[in-house]
Amino acid sequence: MRRRDQTLGRLRPQRAPGAIATDESPGIDGGRRRLLAALLLSPLCCGLASWGTAARGATDRTATGGSVPSLPYQRIIALEWLPVELLFALGVTPLAVAGTRDYRLWVQEPVLPASIVDVGQRTEPNFELITALKPDLILYSQGYGPRPEQLRAIAPAMGFSFTDGQGRPLTTARAGLLALAQRLDRMPAALAHLASFDRELAEAWPRLASYRRQPLLIFSLMDDRHALIIGGTSLFGQVMDQLALANVWQGENNFWGTAVVGIEQLATLPLARAICLDHGDAALTARVAATPLWQAMPFVRRNMLRTVPAIWIYGATLAALRFCRMLQQMEKQW
């Protein structure tokens, strides 16, 4: 993975929780674009020949695999991974997704079927290919990627917020899921999913009792000198609040609920159980692990560091469930 930018930009004012874009969304400045481009994006080229046999339209199935009534929109394209997750939560598989290769590295689950068409980078999708696919609905994330009017020139478009800027991304995700369900006539599926989500978090509460004895540090390595810390106003931070788990990071967070810090700052934090979200960069991990600074980290010296596969920190309810399940799986390994 190429060297990651160490700064996150500040955003312009965002819409209310769960607001659905009907016109141009607030812009996002260059800082986060550069960071996420370095983190997550790489050119992905798809020729027309690659989608000729795969372009079948959205698939709609129940959790048990049985057919349900057809969607009002049969050809759905998702240009950002948050709406991809919302579709899967409703049991809907899109026709096409942007950034499928990096999705499989940074998001991983839900697994993308091989039949899904890749329409290029999330920041700069292939408009010619999107137009040729003849979508009847395009989903995007507000403030990220192409301008909404560019998308509406091709097909109806619907945007989703990640957070309200007040540390409630999970609340925002729930509202976005309901709005999409209303648009797709899938409200029963949305209500069933949210009921299952609430039930699973409630069942996880007693299983995570040991975590309440010590705070948690959740982070990813950005490069040889920087780490991305998951803060209290992030998606996972809100899940931790619901589970009464203390977050050791009490510093300032950006709009997205994260903080980019020098790796040396990790050594100044109180002793905590540390979980590193791995994104397949073994060379970076090895370089950092070999440094005297890293070996002197309290959580390293006390054998309190665990590394787990990536979970998409800018996701919604499915990512939140993966995070909760990961904590349960790790509980006996401390």
Side-chain angles (χ1 to χ4, degrees), residues 157-173:
M158 184 177 186
F160 300 86
S161 295
F162 168 70
T163 185
D164 59 355
Q166 299 180 30
R168 297 192 295 261
L170 182 55
T171 305
T172 305

Side-chain angles (χ1 to χ4, degrees), residues 15-310:
R15 297 177 183 270
I20 304 303
T22 56
D23 50 19
E24 184 172 355
S25 304
I28 185 169
D29 74 6
R32 183 172 183 263
R33 286 186 187 277
R34 289 191 299 273
L35 172 63
L36 291 185
L39 277 173
L40 310 172
L41 304 176
S42 58
L44 299 172
C45 300
C46 282
L48 293 180
S50 67
W51 61 266
T53 58
R56 303 172 183 171
T59 300
D60 185 18
R61 296 188 178 278
T62 65
T64 59
S67 298
V68 296
S70 61
L71 289 165
Y73 300 93
Q74 291 294 317
R75 306 178 68 80
I76 302 173
I77 294 178
L79 298 182
E80 215 279 319
W81 299 335
L82 173 61
V84 172
E85 181 176 325
L86 297 178
L87 284 172
F88 280 125
L90 295 175
V92 177
T93 301
L95 163 67
V97 170
T100 60
R101 186 181 72 180
D102 287 303
Y103 177 102
R104 293 181 173 101
L105 176 65
W106 289 85
V107 184
Q108 299 187 12
E109 295 180 11
V111 175
L112 292 180
S115 61
I116 286 183
V117 181
D118 187 292
V119 289
Q121 300 180 51
R122 293 179 299 147
T123 49
E124 297 179 355
N126 185 330
F127 284 104
E128 292 183 358
L129 177 56
I130 292 173
T131 302
L133 288 172
K134 300 185 184 334
D136 47 26
L137 182 63
I138 301 174
L139 306 181
Y140 65 95
S141 286
Q142 293 181 17
Y144 189 83
R147 296 190 306 274
E149 61 266 24
Q150 293 178 283
L151 304 178
R152 292 197 301 270
I154 301 173
M158 184 177 186
F160 300 86
S161 295
F162 168 70
T163 185
D164 59 355
Q166 299 180 30
R168 297 192 295 261
L170 182 55
T171 305
T172 305
R174 295 174 72 109
L177 181 70
L178 293 173
L180 181 60
Q182 184 174 21
R183 182 96 178 230
L184 300 183
D185 194 21
R186 289 296 175 268
M187 192 59 68
L191 295 176
H193 171 73
L194 293 177
S196 176
F197 175 87
D198 292 336
R199 183 169 57 253
E200 185 163 340
L201 256 62
E203 292 171 350
W205 177 283
R207 300 170 187 164
L208 299 175
S210 69
Y211 285 94
R212 300 187 186 99
R213 297 196 293 265
Q214 204 159 28
L216 269 172
L217 168 64
I218 313 292
F219 70 97
S220 286
L221 293 175
M222 306 289 290
D223 58 25
D224 295 74
R225 296 182 298 168
H226 300 91
L228 178 73
I229 297 180
I230 307 302
T233 56
S234 66
L235 175 69
F236 298 166
Q238 190 173 357
V239 174
M240 290 170 64
D241 283 344
Q242 291 196 15
L243 296 171
L245 307 181
N247 191 330
V248 74
W249 176 252
Q250 296 298 312
E252 183 178 355
N253 303 317
N254 57 38
F255 177 85
W256 306 91
T258 55
V260 178
V261 303
I263 288 178
E264 70 279 359
Q265 194 166 344
L266 299 180
T268 68
L269 298 175
L271 184 62
R273 293 180 175 184
I275 295 177
C276 179
L277 303 177
D278 175 63
H279 302 99
D281 199 337
L284 169 62
T285 302
R287 288 195 307 270
V288 172
T291 63
L293 172 61
W294 189 257
Q295 294 169 11
M297 293 284 177
F299 53 76
V300 174
R301 289 188 290 105
R302 300 283 190 91
N303 192 30
M304 297 178 65
L305 171 66
R306 303 293 183 269
T307 301
V308 301

